[in-house]
Amino acid sequence: MNSERSLEMVPLLPQGEFVLQPIRRGDSAAWFAYLSDSRTTEHTSWPEVSSASIDELVDRLIGEYAAGTSLRWALARRSDDLLVGCCGYTCIDRENAVAELAYDLAPAWWGRGIMQKAVEAAVNWAFVDGGLRRVEALVMVTNSRSISLIERCGFSREQLLPGHRIARGTPRDF
């Protein structure tokens, strides 16, 4: 399936002055710009990023739209189509109807409720239209802002996963 058709498969989820839309190749520069800010990745399992690694990630995500193995949306301003964040599912297990939620947001937009609305829209899509029965969010225990966000969105803590992921060379708890 060509990438244009893959992009058409991704639903648009309007969020007031923002929209969750398919990630496109043109989003790489804006995504790289804010992921290069250590505040964005400090309490996450994001590896060191480069412009090339983000270009490769975007290409992979576009390919995964057709396969249905992940679904990441670009969170963009409607006025100028600028990517300010991403939200969606890094891993979708269709057999068990479960997906892992992930999101990130440019620091300039923190504290405005933008990502909460995006997460709520993505989770609503998962249960209403996405055929999922469970959405999981694995958050590094030091990421208090993210923990607060998902708890406001109705998630509950289930368990501690000691050393669950390697973050920049160090096993971290999630």
Side-chain angles (χ1 to χ4, degrees), residues 31-57 140 166-170:
W31 204 6
F32 171 68
Y34 77 79
L35 287 176
S36 298
D37 183 331
S38 63
R39 295 175 297 168
T40 307
T41 58
E42 177 182 15
H43 298 285
T44 72
S45 57
W46 269 103
E48 189 78 26
V49 296
S50 67
S51 181
S53 69
I54 297 302
D55 288 344
E56 290 171 14
L57 176 59
M140 190 179 290
I166 304 295
R168 289 162 300 290
T170 304

Side-chain angles (χ1 to χ4, degrees), residues 130-146:
L132 299 175
R133 63 171 187 78
R134 180 177 170 86
V135 172
E136 301 170 343
L138 290 108
V139 180
M140 190 179 290
V141 298
T142 59
N143 196 341
S144 59
R145 293 176 67 104
S146 186

Side-chain angles (χ1 to χ4, degrees), residues 91-156:
C91 179
I92 299 174
D93 175 351
R94 293 282 177 201
E95 182 178 337
N96 293 298
V98 176
E100 181 182 339
L101 178 72
Y103 47 86
D104 45 70
L105 185 66
W109 298 95
W110 290 359
R112 300 183 192 193
I114 297 164
M115 190 51 71
Q116 181 175 339
K117 289 178 185 173
V119 166
E120 289 168 346
V123 170
N124 183 63
W125 173 87
F127 293 130
V128 174
D129 298 316
L132 299 175
R133 63 171 187 78
R134 180 177 170 86
V135 172
E136 301 170 343
L138 290 108
V139 180
M140 190 179 290
V141 298
T142 59
N143 196 341
S144 59
R145 293 176 67 104
S146 186
I147 291 168
S148 294
L149 173 100
I150 61 171
E151 287 178 342
R152 286 192 309 273
C153 291
F155 285 75
S156 58

Side-chain angles (χ1 to χ4, degrees), residues 1-69:
M1 179 174 291
N2 72 33
S3 64
E4 292 299 318
R5 176 72 178 110
S6 294
L7 295 175
E8 292 171 6
M9 297 173 60
V10 179
L12 296 177
L13 303 178
Q15 302 298 304
E17 69 177 285
F18 296 91
V19 63
L20 288 169
Q21 63 189 19
I23 292 175
R24 297 166 295 190
R25 287 183 177 87
D27 292 328
S28 293
W31 204 6
F32 171 68
Y34 77 79
L35 287 176
S36 298
D37 183 331
S38 63
R39 295 175 297 168
T40 307
T41 58
E42 177 182 15
H43 298 285
T44 72
S45 57
W46 269 103
E48 189 78 26
V49 296
S50 67
S51 181
S53 69
I54 297 302
D55 288 344
E56 290 171 14
L57 176 59
V58 167
D59 285 342
R60 189 187 88 219
L61 292 173
I62 290 170
E64 288 177 356
Y65 287 151
T69 54

